[in-house]
Amino acid sequence: MHEAFGYDWYFLRLRTTMEETSREAVATAVQRVAGMLQRSDQLDKVEQYRRREARKKASVEARLKAAIQSQLDGVRTGLTQLHSALLDVKDIQGSLADVSKDWRQSINTIENLKDVKDAVVQHSQLASAVENLKNIFSVPEIVADTQQLIEQGELLQAHRKLMELECSRDDLMYEQYRMDSKNTSDMNLISIYFEDVQGLSDELAKQLWMVLQRSMVTVRRDPTMLVSVVRIIEREVKIDRRMVDRKKQSGFIPPGRPKRWKDKMFEVLEGTVSTRIEGTQSVTREADKMWLVRLLEITRKYVLDDLIVVKNLMVQCFPQHYDTFNRFFGLYHNAVSSRVKELAAEDLEANEIVSMLTWVLNTYKSVEMMGHPDLASECDINALEALLPQDVVDDLLSKYVKTFTSNITGWLRKALETDKKDWQKETEPEADQDGYYQTTLPAIVFQMFEQNLQVAAQIDGDFKEQVLKLCLKQMNTFLIRYREEAVTYKEEHLRDRQLPQCYVQYMIAIINNCQTFKESINSLKRKYSQSSEPTDSDAAIERTLSEVAKEGCQFLLDEVFLDLEHHLYELMTRKWLTGSHAVDTICVTVEDYFNDFNKIKKPFNQYIKAVMQKRITFKNADERREGADRMIKEADQFKFLFRKLAAGEDTDRLCGAIAAIAEVFKLTDPTLLFLEVTTLVSKYPDIREEHIQALLAVRGDASREMRQMIIGTLSENKVTYSAVTQPIFKDIAVPTITNTMTSMTSMATAKLLK
């Protein structure tokens, strides 16, 4: 019935469609005919048009019938399949109803099968027990064999038997857990029976760790032993992974799992490296002052040797994915870093701080250690972190500077005290290769500076500059003390001029030391400073050295004039006029001193000068002539002496001043006195009014009016002198006009010792 209804509906719709199509076709045909018969000459072709259209119509009808037939066949097939599907659905519906009925009837039966289920579980456990029965009964024997293998060092075989024992125990526990996870008594029973297994595991682990602790030795003597240890650990890693996966599924994991022996292996290796680094200290500071240098050198050697062994041998004993070399490289770096941090925290002395920083900042990454060519291909030393944090380095440097400052102050004090003791010796000081007196003080001082600068240069350039500035600062303070001691030395000598016996020679050495100090300072700056800019201490040092030298020269002159004082007082006196040998004595004394003064380094010898003042008044022309002749004779003596001593310097003009004064005294015609004085003034334009007055007073025959006339005329026609001309009278003082002998003496002896 349903099928007939379907066909009727289909044909009804098909009929409707055909009617609509027929109407559309008629309308289209009318339009085509109208288009073909628009002209009268087209009527003759009506029959031709009709046949052509008839053929087209027949062709279209044929295709249409074929298409309709195909559609009808498809519809028929679809309806047949739908009918079959409907029948199948009805069959399934009936089957489901039967199953539902049967399920309701079998609920009680399923509940009655619980005993069967328990039997199946028990059967599974019994099957596992049967499978492990042999091992279960032989557990004591296997334990004993395993223990013996461990003691014999057969670690691979021992581990194999251990795995058998653990496998039997774990399977039994797993089945028990599946049957009744809350039954702890049975679990404990199994654990007690296999209690020796855990002990064997621990004992085997100890042996593994012992091998790893001696890995550096083992890899050289018996690398197979190390390989066996690594294989055992890799096995345990796999078992751990399998047990953890089973726990995720069942919730059960055997006791002692996961063992994490791989993690423990790396902990042991790290501890081994740390112990090896910490064990490098063989001596203490009390036993050996070079303890730190020795410790660092031993550490350097151990680390380098061990890393070369790791590269050449150790990496072959571990799986490639362990990245063995880089792991060991990091372990050694961390161990060394921890060790030097401990050392840096100790109370290090200054030289120990330098040794530490030099090693940390320079040696560690050099080709002598981590940057060694044999290691360069395996690691990047630039990626290493600093052994010491920068704040620790800064603290050490600050501590060194503080200690160095304190030490060098003490060293300089001791050096000066030692030099002062030498000043009291009865033997002359040593002379350098040029014959100049000197002491060992400059050499000692600058040897200390040189040593500390060399040490500072090992750390870095900036620190070297800092130490150099500190040395110069300390040098300035030291020179001030040196100057004070030189003054004290002179004052003590003046209390008893017989002591010390070599006062003059050591004072010359003190003066010469100033030049040596200056040269040494410049040498240090050229060698250890990259900057050409003057430091804050340069000017002060230069000034202090100049003052020490000048004062020392003045002390020497004081010594000369103390010896000449008695003889100088005889000049231009009655005793001198009647035949004194004062000038002879003066010349001999000056020549003797000058032999010592030749041991003074230039430019300090230019400071030696003499200023002498005495008094006399001639009574008559005979005395004036006799005194003038004596002055001319003694001027010749001085000229001969100073030509001999002055080493090429022009002294004739200085001695000529004495002869010029003598000519004023020798003049017999007072009316020509003005002319003679004028000649004197023209030769020596630095002569002053008080000098002329003193000169006329010594002559003794110039009236007051004549003196006033001469002075007045010279004042009106004052002669200026060139700065190039060496002044003679400039530094000659005339205390009073009445002390006419003072001026005379000044003119007779001014600057004879220059």
Side-chain angles (χ1 to χ4, degrees), residues 255 383 388 734:
L388 288 177
V734 182

Side-chain angles (χ1 to χ4, degrees), residues 132-348:
N132 294 284
L133 191 61
K134 180 179 179 180
N135 291 336
I136 292 174
F137 284 114
S138 60
V139 164
E141 180 182 354
I142 297 175
V143 168
D145 291 344
T146 304
Q147 183 66 43
Q148 185 177 3
L149 290 172
I150 292 175
E151 293 173 355
Q152 293 174 351
E154 300 293 337
L155 302 184
L156 273 178
Q157 296 183 29
H159 185 251
R160 189 177 297 110
K161 289 186 174 295
L162 176 63
M163 287 193 299
E164 293 176 1
L165 291 171
E166 289 180 336
C167 182
S168 298
R169 179 198 64 185
D170 296 347
D171 287 348
L172 289 174
M173 285 187 168
Y174 178 64
E175 294 300 333
Q176 175 61 34
Y177 180 84
R178 288 177 58 194
M179 181 178 69
D180 186 1
S181 60
K182 297 181 180 180
N183 188 348
T184 58
S185 60
D186 290 346
M187 280 290 192
N188 291 335
L189 181 63
I190 298 174
S191 297
I192 293 172
Y193 188 75
F194 285 93
E195 62 182 353
D196 292 336
V197 174
Q198 186 61 43
L200 289 175
S201 177
D202 295 340
E203 184 64 26
L204 178 61
K206 290 180 181 179
Q207 295 299 317
L208 299 181
W209 311 149
M210 288 178 60
V211 173
L212 289 172
Q213 288 169 354
R214 296 165 45 241
S215 57
M216 285 298 168
V217 177
T218 304
V219 77
R220 292 183 175 97
R221 297 180 179 177
D222 186 11
T224 56
M225 175 65 75
L226 186 59
V227 173
S228 298
V229 170
V230 176
R231 288 180 60 188
I232 291 171
I233 292 173
E234 280 294 291
R235 288 177 183 172
E236 290 295 335
V237 170
K238 294 179 180 178
I239 296 173
D240 278 350
R241 189 181 301 118
R242 188 167 64 250
M243 293 298 104
V244 170
D245 291 341
R246 188 168 70 177
K247 179 184 179 181
K248 294 177 181 178
Q249 297 175 358
S250 64
F252 171 78
I253 190 167
R257 293 289 177 182
K259 293 183 179 180
R260 298 188 177 91
W261 278 8
K262 183 177 180 180
D263 295 339
K264 179 63 176 178
M265 174 184 68
F266 290 128
E267 292 178 7
V268 171
L269 290 175
E270 182 177 1
T272 301
V273 171
S274 298
T275 302
R276 186 161 175 80
I277 298 302
E278 293 173 358
T280 54
Q281 182 169 349
S282 57
V283 293
T284 61
R285 180 186 290 118
E286 291 73 17
D288 186 353
K289 292 184 178 180
M290 300 297 291
W291 69 277
L292 184 58
V293 174
R294 297 183 186 279
L295 185 153
L296 295 175
E297 175 58 20
I298 293 173
T299 301
R300 182 199 68 79
K301 188 175 184 304
Y302 277 14
V303 171
L304 179 59
D305 291 347
D306 288 358
L307 288 177
I308 291 177
V309 170
V310 170
K311 176 193 173 186
N312 296 331
L313 300 176
M314 191 80 75
V315 294
Q316 302 174 18
C317 301
F318 289 84
Q320 186 175 1
H321 66 273
Y322 276 30
D323 194 14
T324 305
F325 180 82
N326 286 326
R327 186 178 291 273
F328 271 93
F329 194 79
L331 291 177
Y332 274 95
H333 175 74
N334 294 336
V336 172
S337 179
S338 298
R339 183 58 178 146
V340 296
K341 287 177 182 176
E342 293 175 0
L343 293 173
E346 296 186 9
D347 187 17
L348 297 179

Side-chain angles (χ1 to χ4, degrees), residues 374-475:
D374 289 345
L375 307 179
S377 61
E378 300 293 333
C379 62
D380 181 11
I381 59 173
N382 295 322
L384 288 174
E385 295 182 359
L387 282 179
L388 288 177
Q390 188 59 44
D391 59 332
V392 176
V393 174
D394 293 341
D395 289 343
L396 288 175
L397 289 176
S398 177
K399 182 179 179 181
Y400 172 81
V401 169
K402 183 178 179 181
T403 305
F404 169 70
T405 303
S406 176
N407 288 346
I408 203 165
T409 301
W411 294 336
L412 292 173
R413 185 183 302 110
K414 291 179 181 178
L416 183 54
E417 291 298 325
T418 302
D419 205 54
K420 285 170 56 182
K421 292 179 181 179
D422 291 343
W423 298 351
Q424 307 299 326
K425 288 182 177 180
E426 297 179 357
T427 57
E428 293 183 355
E430 297 179 356
D432 62 13
Q433 66 273 16
D434 297 321
Y436 296 119
Y437 286 140
Q438 63 178 5
T439 68
T440 58
L441 182 62
I444 293 174
V445 169
F446 284 95
Q447 184 179 10
M448 290 188 294
F449 287 168
E450 179 86 18
Q451 290 174 351
N452 283 278
L453 285 168
Q454 287 176 353
V455 168
Q458 296 175 6
I459 299 177
D460 61 42
D462 292 340
F463 186 62
K464 176 188 64 177
E465 294 277 356
Q466 183 180 352
V467 172
L468 176 60
K469 291 180 180 179
L470 180 59
C471 289
L472 295 177
K473 183 178 180 181
Q474 291 297 313
M475 185 65 192

Side-chain angles (χ1 to χ4, degrees), residues 102-114:
D102 294 339
W103 177 75
R104 290 189 183 93
Q105 294 175 353
S106 63
I107 289 177
N108 295 331
T109 304
I110 293 174
E111 292 178 354
N112 295 332
L113 291 178
K114 184 177 183 300

Side-chain angles (χ1 to χ4, degrees), residues 88-110:
D88 292 339
V89 168
K90 290 180 178 179
D91 292 340
I92 292 171
Q93 185 177 7
S95 298
L96 287 175
D98 295 339
V99 169
S100 177
K101 181 179 178 182
D102 294 339
W103 177 75
R104 290 189 183 93
Q105 294 175 353
S106 63
I107 289 177
N108 295 331
T109 304
I110 293 174

